[in-house]
Amino acid sequence: MYVIVVYDVNVDRVNKVRIFLKQYLNWVQNSVFEGELTKSELSIVEHAVQELINQSEDSVRIYVLRSDKYLEMIEVGTSKVDVSEII
Amino acid sequence: MKTNYYITKDGVLRRKENTVYFIDKTEQRALPIQKIYAIYAYGNLSFTSGVVSYLAKNGVPIHFFNSYGFYEGSLYPRETLVSGDATIKQAEHYLDGERRSILAKLFVEGAAKNILRNLNYYSKDTNSLTSYIEKIEHELGQLPGYTTIPQIMSVEGHIRDFYYSALDCIFPAEFQIGERVKRPPNNKTNTLLSFGNSLMYATVLSEIYNTQLNPTISFLHEPFERRFSLSLDVAEIFKPIIVDRVIFKLINKNMLDETDFSGDIGNMLLSESGRKKFLQEYHERLSRTIEHKGLGREVSYQRLIRLELYKLVKHVLGTQKYKPLVMWW
């Protein structure tokens, strides 16, 4: 499934969240990650993020799409990253 | 789904923030470690030892290719799936001439049938292919009578020769193969074939790593020292399905131009842009999925390679006879 993670986390913890998510997803913008995950990877990500954040202060949203086929993305301005597999 | 990464540029690979970074003069790319299946390195890469051990720990092999696109070697993580039983049985099938030739013939048969599928597809438009198809079918018919490896190899060679001559009927003049020449390839299509076949060997090797099979014990090819020849055997079946079809698409859709090749006739190479186009198509084809009849679900072409190896494991262990994959779609 294709997953988009957006987060609003206090600066004290934001780096931890970012560094963790980097292992699983592509960093597309400040506080936004995207990528393909399996069901089990998604639950790993979900639980790990839960451990990293402060439940009463931070917010993380995970949008789950069945596949990126169902995603239509409109990008305005300059793209910050290249996620292609051919470097 | 994990994915392959193909690095065509020169640069540095290092471990940073618990993931892998590709760094060169113009960019810094973070590759999510959990999503890397294998890395194919075409450029000059520098490594830190940190990244090497981190990749090994996560079971990611790196395959290296030289400027001709030929396979140079792999940095291969420690084997985790070792089975003494499977290795002994696999060697047994090599040592017993009869059992070895059974497997060798099956590889040739699978390859030939997939080649025929490709040609039959084009014979709808061009009648001139019919005579080549008949010749290949004739060669294939002879196969059961042969028992020695050189005989079987020669059938394979003849089939490939007919196949390439047949393709010359379809390809525009610029992409005629003429004779298959390697090391170095002498014309555009030979260059594409060499590049694609090397890539295929490495892809199969990545899959062998995930099974109990020993990559050095082969059946059709001789297990020469210092070569993972089992991947050559299994690649025979997949070359027509994956590599050849990538080449058909690149040529028939006019996707390549002069800037995608470098060097003169007689010493032709793919340029950086050519490599990128090829890798893009190759990657797309490996990730393409089809409905698998036996499993009742969608599987990618890359997964089909693994399933093929599982069939081979079952064959050497004696639980199920091996039947090569022939395109059913």
Side-chain angles (χ1 to χ4, degrees):
Chain A
M1 52 196 84
Y2 195 78
V3 171
I4 303 168
V5 183
V6 297
Y7 53 88
D8 194 340
V9 174
N10 190 295
V11 273
D12 302 336
R13 292 173 295 274
V14 71
N15 263 341
K16 284 188 180 163
V17 174
R18 182 177 54 83
I19 289 169
F20 171 76
L21 289 175
K22 267 195 172 178
Q23 296 177 38
Y24 287 85
L25 297 159
N26 292 311
W27 193 24
V28 289
Q29 275 185 3
N30 290 338
S31 314
V32 182
F33 278 86
E34 274 183 33
E36 194 74 30
L37 290 184
T38 62
K39 234 181 209 172
S40 67
E41 284 170 337
L42 177 61
S43 81
I44 294 171
V45 168
E46 196 188 323
H47 288 108
V49 169
Q50 208 151 41
E51 293 292 309
L52 290 172
I53 62 169
N54 179 336
Q55 301 284 345
S56 57
E57 227 183 293
D58 306 328
S59 160
V60 177
R61 288 183 157 232
I62 305 178
Y63 297 89
V64 182
L65 288 94
R66 281 245 296 275
S67 143
D68 61 347
K69 279 182 206 154
Y70 303 103
L71 171 80
E72 192 191 341
M73 202 245 307
I74 301 166
E75 195 168 37
V76 184
T78 43
S79 187
K80 296 244 167 117
V81 286
D82 173 18
V83 293
S84 121
E85 289 88 0
I86 324 287
I87 302 170
Chain B
M1 260 290 278
K2 293 195 179 195
T3 179
N4 292 323
Y5 283 90
Y6 306 83
I7 302 178
T8 59
K9 293 184 190 163
D10 298 350
V12 181
L13 216 55
R14 60 174 295 204
R15 175 181 177 168
K16 195 175 151 189
E17 293 177 339
N18 262 340
T19 196
V20 178
Y21 271 75
F22 171 79
I23 301 165
D24 73 355
K25 286 186 203 102
T26 54
E27 66 170 342
Q28 263 209 33
R29 272 280 303 272
L31 316 177
I33 180 75
Q34 299 291 343
K35 306 308 299 179
I36 312 176
Y37 189 76
I39 295 176
Y40 295 78
Y42 284 88
N44 281 320
L45 278 186
S46 303
F47 287 90
T48 61
S49 62
V51 80
V52 171
S53 60
Y54 197 50
L55 287 170
K57 199 171 135 197
N58 285 283
V60 180
I62 314 168
H63 305 295
F64 296 96
F65 300 85
N66 66 11
S67 50
Y68 290 102
F70 290 142
Y71 176 68
E72 293 271 76
S74 302
L75 198 65
Y76 197 87
R78 170 172 57 89
E79 284 271 5
T80 49
L81 290 169
V82 282
S83 155
D85 192 31
T87 309
I88 289 166
K89 292 272 166 55
Q90 198 187 336
E92 222 171 60
H93 277 258
Y94 168 74
L95 290 170
D96 182 335
E98 200 181 320
R99 279 195 270 184
R100 179 180 173 192
S101 71
I102 289 173
L103 276 173
K105 280 187 217 172
L106 286 170
F107 287 131
V108 174
E109 187 193 312
K113 286 189 173 165
N114 286 319
I115 282 174
L116 285 170
R117 294 279 303 179
N118 279 352
L119 289 181
N120 278 322
Y121 175 80
Y122 285 107
S123 69
K124 285 173 205 144
D125 315 321
T126 333
N127 284 326
S128 51
L129 294 186
T130 331
S131 68
Y132 291 109
I133 292 175
E134 276 164 12
K135 279 184 196 161
I136 293 178
E137 277 168 349
H138 175 74
E139 280 290 331
L140 193 56
Q142 308 239 286
L143 195 59
Y146 292 143
T147 47
T148 68
I149 297 298
Q151 282 173 327
I152 298 169
M153 280 296 259
S154 81
V155 171
E156 200 259 341
H158 289 144
I159 290 176
R160 283 257 153 202
D161 284 346
F162 291 137
Y163 179 47
Y164 293 138
S165 316
L167 292 180
D168 278 349
C169 304
I170 315 167
F171 288 161
E174 193 194 343
F175 286 102
Q176 298 282 312
I177 304 168
E179 200 187 342
R180 177 84 178 100
V181 177
K182 303 166 195 170
R183 296 190 178 261
N186 64 344
N187 60 32
K188 288 180 179 172
T189 310
N190 272 325
T191 301
L192 292 169
L193 282 166
S194 293
F195 187 84
N197 290 344
S198 302
L199 195 56
M200 193 73 247
Y201 299 144
T203 305
V204 175
L205 184 62
S206 299
E207 297 300 325
I208 294 176
Y209 171 71
N210 287 298
T211 70
Q212 283 80 5
L213 291 166
N214 183 322
T216 57
I217 306 173
S218 58
F219 306 101
L220 176 61
H221 296 82
E222 288 296 336
F224 289 121
E225 269 180 79
R226 293 190 286 272
R227 266 184 96 175
F228 292 135
S229 38
L230 183 63
S231 65
L232 305 184
D233 283 6
V234 178
E236 290 295 335
I237 292 170
F238 288 94
K239 281 191 300 201
I241 305 179
I242 298 171
V243 177
D244 298 351
R245 293 197 154 201
V246 167
I247 296 172
F248 296 162
K249 183 171 175 192
L250 289 171
I251 292 178
N252 293 337
K253 298 213 167 184
N254 266 326
M255 293 165 77
L256 298 170
D257 56 43
E258 286 307 318
T259 60
D260 295 326
F261 294 92
S262 64
D264 305 318
I265 305 282
N267 191 10
M268 193 80 89
L269 292 180
L270 278 175
S271 69
E272 196 180 308
S273 65
R275 287 192 300 206
K276 271 194 173 168
K277 281 183 195 169
F278 195 106
L279 291 170
Q280 186 74 51
E281 286 306 318
Y282 182 84
H283 179 69
E284 219 166 84
R285 197 153 286 262
L286 277 187
S287 347
R288 181 176 297 186
T289 58
I290 47 139
E291 169 87 23
H292 192 282
K293 283 185 287 187
L295 295 175
R297 63 177 172 86
E298 296 268 312
V299 290
S300 66
Y301 282 26
Q302 174 146 0
R303 192 70 188 175
L304 284 175
I305 304 174
R306 178 90 68 91
L307 295 174
E308 199 65 12
L309 294 166
Y310 287 156
K311 286 197 274 179
L312 206 54
V313 174
K314 283 189 179 160
H315 180 94
V316 296
L317 294 179
T319 42
Q320 201 172 42
K321 283 244 170 340
Y322 174 68
K323 241 183 91 204
L325 170 87
V326 179
M327 278 186 274
W328 64 80
W329 58 94

